[in-house]
Amino acid sequence: MANLLDQLAAMTVVVADTGDIDAIKQFTPRDATTNPSLILAAAQIPRYQELIDRSLRESRAVMGTGASAEEVVHEALDEICVTFGLEILKIVPGRVSTEVDARLSFDTAGTIAKARKLIGLYRMAGIGTDRVLIKIASTWEGIKAAEKLEQEGIHCNLTLLFGFAQAVACAEAGATLISPFVGRILDWFKKSTGRDSYPGPEDPGVLSVSKIFNYFKTYGYKTEVMGASFRNTDEIIELAGCDLLTISPTLLDKLQANTGELERKLNAFDPGPTEPQIHLDESGFREMMAKDQMATEKLEEGITGFTKAIVTLVAQLAHRLAELEGGAAFDHAVQEIFLLNDLDGDGCISREEWLGSDAVFDALDTDHDGRLLPADVRGGFGSALALAGRP
């Protein structure tokens, strides 16, 4: 009997949820999707350092020798996302999702501009819009940006989706794809109810995606549903038949290692019972979101988490640029990192202001006074660079 992964792939498009190119080669999915956290994780793998360095050098060439380290790193963020995307597209036959900076989640014009730039970089590399999905947070502003981009032929994947209102608004905007976060919905319900677990058929994330899928198919929306952020294989099994499922390498491996008959649970040609059709304007959307505590909290949390991943990646890119270009770039990078985090401009960074990880803050806070001065940032990152430069 075929393993569970092969059976799933026969009824659902399997997407690799990773920035690890080697993992994508192992499972040969049709599509792949990344986000800032996954790119950050991939950036820690030594064999991908050449990709990072190439992006930094290309960004310096684009920005010119007179550009500041901040400007080069800002450009490199886009270059790196596209560089990883291009490597992934050498492996998968379908599409790669590349995410817009989460800090633009409430900026419609900024999101549109960033999406156009990313698509432009792909086009310069010979990749058409049919092979790229631009990932955008499912805020009202993000959904409106996606609506405009879809009209221009730029296909969008609306991510950080937790509530029915978000799904309906995305479908009405003509989004190509939505990514409801199954596991994060489960996390919220476990925390709010005190339950340790839910069986697959009762999993709140599974129920949410099933509801969205049946609604879309009943009313003829073209927007595809891609379940994401899984915590276990039971959630995946309960969504067999969904348009797409994006799955981490760990869970792909578990599915591949197990056999047994996999039953189709969702059917686009025979959808289950659903809600009456609704249409949402901005006020209706915001009213529904205000009543959905889970979706509101998880959306905010997701944007915050992706933002922290971006800020951490920015700091690492600044470090690497300093290694490549020398001390002047390092001085400027440290200054920019400090200014970015000193939100109230009082000359020091508190833990609450720090946008990176707690581990980095603790490493820089050598005197353990709960705040960082410019000397702390300079000293900490300088030590890291000295160590990195040793043979």
Side-chain angles (χ1 to χ4, degrees):
M1 179 177 289
N3 62 55
L4 293 181
L5 180 57
D6 287 343
Q7 292 181 69
L8 179 66
M11 62 183 80
T12 289
V13 173
V14 175
V15 180
D17 192 13
T18 180
D20 186 342
I21 295 165
D22 289 341
I24 297 171
K25 289 179 180 177
Q26 177 185 350
F27 295 106
T28 60
R30 194 197 77 175
D31 295 354
T33 182
T34 63
N35 63 44
S37 297
L38 295 175
I39 293 292
L40 177 61
Q44 313 311 307
I45 302 174
R47 61 183 172 277
Y48 297 148
Q49 188 63 63
E50 188 274 331
L51 296 179
I52 301 294
D53 291 353
R54 185 203 312 166
S55 297
L56 286 168
R57 291 190 177 101
E58 289 176 354
S59 297
R60 169 57 76 188
V62 169
M63 301 307 295
T65 57
S68 68
E70 179 189 21
E71 292 169 325
V72 173
V73 169
H74 182 76
E75 176 69 20
L77 280 174
D78 298 332
E79 294 279 354
I80 286 169
C81 289
V82 172
T83 294
F84 273 88
L86 291 171
E87 293 298 316
I88 289 168
L89 287 174
K90 293 176 182 178
I91 304 166
V92 302
R95 306 170 296 191
V96 66
S97 289
T98 297
E99 189 144 346
V100 167
D101 191 324
R103 292 171 293 186
L104 297 172
S105 295
F106 299 99
D107 181 348
T108 298
T111 295
I112 291 171
K114 181 66 72 175
R116 289 170 176 164
K117 181 179 181 184
L118 292 170
I119 288 295
L121 290 172
Y122 275 112
R123 282 175 173 155
M124 288 175 61
I127 301 298
T129 55
D130 59 316
R131 300 205 65 198
V132 180
L133 291 171
I134 298 297
K135 286 181 77 176
I136 300 170
S138 300
T139 59
W140 179 258
E141 293 80 4
I143 294 167
K144 291 294 102 178
E147 184 173 39
K148 173 63 174 174
L149 292 167
E150 292 282 358
Q151 292 168 359
E152 298 177 6
I154 297 174
H155 304 301
C156 299
N157 170 357
L158 274 294
T159 188
L160 293 177
L161 193 147
F162 304 97
F164 191 63
Q166 292 172 287
V168 171
C170 289
E172 295 202 313
T176 296
L177 183 74
I178 61 168
S179 298
F181 276 30
V182 180
R184 295 197 193 189
I185 293 173
L186 173 64
D187 294 343
W188 189 91
F189 277 93
K190 287 171 65 176
K191 182 178 180 180
S192 64
T193 64
R195 288 182 60 170
D196 292 332
S197 63
Y198 286 79
E202 298 176 16
D203 186 298
V206 168
L207 295 176
S208 177
V209 174
S210 299
K211 176 181 176 180
I212 292 167
F213 179 90
N214 290 325
Y215 182 88
F216 281 15
K217 304 313 173 186
T218 296
Y219 297 111
Y221 291 108
K222 301 301 183 184
T223 300
E224 296 178 299
V225 180
M226 181 170 73
S229 176
F230 293 105
R231 296 292 179 259
N232 53 65
T233 56
D234 286 346
E235 292 178 323
I236 297 168
I237 289 168
E238 289 300 322
L239 292 174
C242 192
D243 296 322
L244 308 94
L245 297 175
T246 181
I247 306 170
S248 69
T250 299
L251 294 180
L252 287 172
D253 190 54
K254 289 182 179 180
L255 291 168
Q256 193 173 62
N258 285 280
T259 58
E261 186 174 354
L262 183 65
E263 178 187 354
R264 177 186 287 273
K265 297 298 179 74
L266 299 175
N267 190 336
F269 300 102
D270 185 22
T274 191
E275 306 286 315
Q277 188 173 17
I278 60 174
H279 303 285
L280 294 176
D281 57 13
E282 182 175 359
S283 62
F285 174 85
R286 296 195 185 282
E287 181 180 355
M288 283 187 70
M289 287 294 290
K291 293 177 180 178
D292 190 339
Q293 182 182 358
M294 178 275 296
T296 299
E297 290 182 3
K298 297 306 288 185
L299 175 60
E300 179 180 356
E301 178 186 289
I303 291 171
T304 299
F306 282 175
T307 296
K308 284 187 175 181
I310 291 169
V311 170
T312 303
L313 182 57
V314 165
Q316 292 187 2
L317 293 177
H319 304 165
R320 184 56 182 168
L321 184 66
E323 292 179 8
L324 295 173
E325 296 189 340
F330 171 66
D331 289 341
H332 188 85
V334 169
Q335 179 186 16
E336 295 299 333
I337 292 167
F338 188 85
L339 292 175
L340 176 66
N341 287 273
D342 183 16
L343 301 181
D344 59 8
D346 66 350
C348 70
I349 305 169
S350 66
R351 185 180 294 276
E352 290 71 25
E353 291 176 301
W354 179 249
L355 296 174
S357 68
D358 287 340
V360 173
F361 185 94
D362 291 338
L364 295 175
D365 185 20
T366 55
D367 57 4
H368 309 296
D369 65 351
R371 61 179 193 153
L372 301 178
L373 298 174
D376 297 321
V377 176
R378 180 179 300 279
F381 287 143
S383 298
L385 285 177
L387 290 171
R390 291 179 183 175

